[in-house]
Amino acid sequence: MLILWDDDGERAAYDDACWAKVFNARRPKHRRPRAVAKARSEGDVLTAVTLAIQLNLRVAVKSGGHSFEAWSIQDDSIMVDLGDYKAINVNCTGRTVTATPSVTGMELNDALACEGLFFPGGHCPDVGLGGFLLQGGMGWNCANWGWACEFLQGIDVVTAQGTPIYCDASQNSDLFWAARGGGPAFPGIVTQFHLRVMSCPQIIRSSCYVFPHTLYETAFRWALTLVDGLDVDTEITAKANYQQSELCFSVIVTTFKGNVHDATEALQPIQDSRPTEMLREEFCTSESMSSLYAMQAIAHPKNHRYTSDNGFLVDDSELDIVSVLAEPFLTLPHEKSYAFWTPMRPWSRRKIPEMALSQQADHYFAIYTIWENESDDQRCQGWLQGVMKSTAEKCVGAYIGDSEFSNRLTRYWSDPSTERLMDIRRKWDPQGRIAGGYPDALIRSSVRGSTLVNS
């Protein structure tokens, strides 16, 4: 295992290792790990944790580097970079797979496709499984198939004491519970995920309806009427973004089916009910996982500066979702920024499984503010914080995967789940060895009206 220290004279090599694969070009350079450990095996992770204990340092982990907050970059820490530790093992008979945290959703599905299998991982092709699954994992068709962490059957973990253990629903079950949605508050290092997988969709089709921003209300209210009529293999998203320098509002419906007939049948009612005025439309377009990943890669350009926020909104007769989201959707500060909405029904009406992820609401939205130049930092960050001031008042909480604690702190789990997560952290990491960001502050803020102390 290669370890690079911040004071050993190899500053260029250290900087390269520190910032390698950190997706956000807007980086927290005021934070610096003491060292970067480039792990290639579970044994390397054990070595790094043991070294951190000996030197009384914390441990942070980087798997894909996609968190906009750059949770892996922490002061007084050894950053364990799992980027070179990649392994996928598929069990076709049992319809399961094991994968290391740095494996991306696209890499996993490429391996599974050869066996006719599929995992509803992240929409972005280069997001590592580590952060994605620990945060809950809002993957493909999440509202119907469930959160990606619900496909988790077990995890291999190196504890804060440097001990390798296995966790599932029957052994070390508290850590297994925390791994399904605890995010940066998880008090250990996952070295391998054991996942249930599903049959690979044979046919993927999508329809897209693009409206001028002046028809935002008409298009959005139409999209809301579609939700209850969607079948279990079909997801809908509404998105505000710039297309050819014009602010647009699009409604995109994607269905994953076994044959063309079923795909057409799922999309035809939407086509039949569409508003007549729009800029352009595409009906039942042939897609593949490769084409879907390619579109997501375009929407999330590399070497750009990012900040994000999000919220869950509950169906309420007094809450007009279209009006609540009008300002963030219609005043985007840069042509590469976008905002999107997706419904969470029927999942939002189901009983929550035994897992830390515990926010339930009928609607989800997220804002991805994207720009290129550092000179725009204050304007773009200020815009996001400004539009979220009033919008956040209508939210019941947020998804930790699209959140930045430096922007604001809110509820990421239910109150009982927050308290349970704190207890698990005290048990498994009483010294706070695992540095996941700002878990103490975010946990305290998540329990309204409480006087909780540091975890």
Side-chain angles (χ1 to χ4, degrees):
M1 176 177 62
L2 176 64
I3 300 181
L4 296 162
W5 298 87
D6 69 341
D7 58 359
D8 66 357
E10 298 292 333
R11 180 50 60 88
Y14 165 85
D15 285 342
D16 288 345
C18 183
W19 300 109
K21 296 184 180 179
V22 173
F23 185 76
N24 193 352
R26 183 181 61 82
R27 296 169 173 173
K29 294 192 175 179
H30 59 286
R31 305 198 305 258
R32 291 185 71 82
R34 192 77 61 84
V36 178
K38 298 179 72 64
R40 294 178 177 270
S41 66
E42 183 181 75
D44 287 346
V45 176
L46 286 166
T47 299
V49 173
T50 301
L51 181 61
I53 293 170
Q54 293 171 349
L55 298 176
N56 194 27
L57 297 173
R58 299 187 299 165
V59 178
V61 187
K62 178 169 63 179
S63 54
H66 247 271
S67 73
F68 295 148
E69 189 81 24
W71 290 330
S72 60
I73 309 297
Q74 299 297 325
D75 289 330
D76 298 318
S77 71
I78 294 178
M79 182 180 74
V80 181
D81 183 353
L82 300 175
D84 293 331
Y85 179 27
K86 286 184 183 286
I88 302 172
N89 292 291
V90 182
N91 180 337
C92 298
T93 303
R95 293 167 66 90
T96 60
V97 63
T98 59
T100 52
S102 66
V103 170
T104 68
M106 184 172 70
E107 290 170 338
L108 180 59
N109 274 323
D110 283 347
L112 290 173
C114 298
E115 308 295 343
L117 300 170
F118 174 77
F119 179 69
H123 292 70
C124 294
D126 49 356
V127 170
L129 291 177
F132 174 73
L133 284 168
L134 286 176
Q135 291 158 182
M138 187 179 288
W140 297 103
N141 200 25
C142 179
N144 289 296
W145 295 339
W147 293 76
C149 68
E150 295 181 64
F151 290 75
L152 193 59
Q153 294 187 321
I155 49 173
D156 296 318
V157 175
V158 173
T159 69
Q161 294 73 39
T163 304
I165 61 172
Y166 175 76
C167 312
D168 61 17
S170 60
Q171 52 188 319
N172 300 310
S173 58
D174 53 352
L175 269 186
F176 181 66
W177 177 91
R180 301 205 296 171
F186 182 73
I189 302 176
V190 178
T191 57
Q192 189 163 239
F193 294 101
H194 301 255
L195 300 163
R196 171 175 56 89
V197 294
M198 56 193 292
S199 296
C200 186
Q202 298 301 305
I203 297 294
I204 305 175
R205 294 288 186 271
S206 71
S207 293
C208 180
Y209 305 91
V210 183
F211 300 85
H213 72 275
T214 53
L215 291 179
Y216 161 82
E217 182 170 350
T218 298
F220 205 160
R221 295 198 187 283
W222 168 63
L224 289 171
T225 68
L226 302 175
V227 175
D228 289 335
L230 298 175
D231 69 21
V232 296
D233 299 315
T234 305
E235 70 173 16
I236 183 171
T237 302
K239 181 177 182 179
N241 69 340
Y242 281 88
Q243 300 184 28
Q244 299 177 344
S245 298
E246 180 178 1
L247 180 60
C248 300
F249 184 81
S250 304
V251 177
I252 306 106
V253 188
T254 306
T255 192
F256 302 83
K257 290 294 184 181
N259 57 69
V260 175
H261 174 269
D262 289 349
T264 305
E265 192 172 63
L267 297 178
Q268 189 65 54
I270 299 163
Q271 176 75 5
D272 294 342
S273 69
R274 71 197 188 282
T276 56
E277 295 182 79
M278 67 184 76
L279 294 175
R280 53 191 169 275
E281 64 177 305
E282 298 176 3
F283 171 65
C284 210
T285 302
S286 178
E287 302 283 8
S288 65
M289 289 309 302
S290 295
S291 68
L292 295 179
Y293 283 134
M295 285 188 287
Q296 291 295 326
I298 292 171
H300 303 93
K302 295 181 179 180
N303 302 315
H304 281 63
R305 308 175 80 81
Y306 286 78
T307 189
S308 67
D309 210 333
N310 70 95
F312 289 107
L313 297 162
V314 177
D315 260 350
D316 188 320
S317 59
E318 298 181 0
L319 181 66
D320 182 0
I321 301 236
V322 176
S323 298
V324 168
L325 297 181
E327 183 180 8
F329 276 53
L330 298 178
T331 64
L332 295 171
H334 193 282
E335 288 196 5
K336 294 189 178 182
S337 301
Y338 74 91
F340 77 91
W341 158 89
T342 191
M344 297 307 300
R345 293 202 306 265
W347 189 91
S348 59
R349 308 296 177 89
R350 298 174 187 162
K351 181 181 178 181
I352 298 176
E354 273 291 303
M355 60 185 188
L357 190 146
S358 46
Q359 291 278 23
Q360 278 187 301
D362 294 320
H363 304 274
Y364 176 77
F365 76 92
I367 307 167
Y368 279 45
T369 313
I370 309 170
W371 66 101
E372 297 168 81
N373 300 316
E374 186 175 356
S375 59
D376 268 342
D377 283 7
Q378 186 174 358
R379 180 178 68 86
C380 290
Q381 290 178 270
W383 172 85
L384 180 63
Q385 293 167 1
V387 298
M388 284 302 298
K389 279 185 179 179
S390 59
T391 308
E393 295 176 356
K394 307 297 191 301
C395 298
V396 297
Y399 171 47
I400 202 167
D402 283 331
S403 298
E404 288 186 66
F405 309 144
S406 57
N407 283 340
R408 69 184 182 102
L409 294 175
T410 184
R411 290 165 59 91
Y412 303 104
W413 311 280
S414 68
D415 289 358
S417 292
T418 300
E419 294 185 7
R420 184 178 179 185
L421 186 56
M422 291 181 68
D423 288 341
I424 293 170
R425 284 178 53 78
R426 291 190 187 101
K427 173 185 173 181
W428 287 96
D429 188 15
Q431 295 181 313
R433 181 77 58 195
I434 307 300
Y438 302 100
D440 295 344
L442 74 89
I443 287 174
R444 286 198 302 274
S445 74
S446 294
V447 180
R448 291 174 174 172
S450 70
T451 55
L452 298 174
V453 297
N454 287 353
S455 60

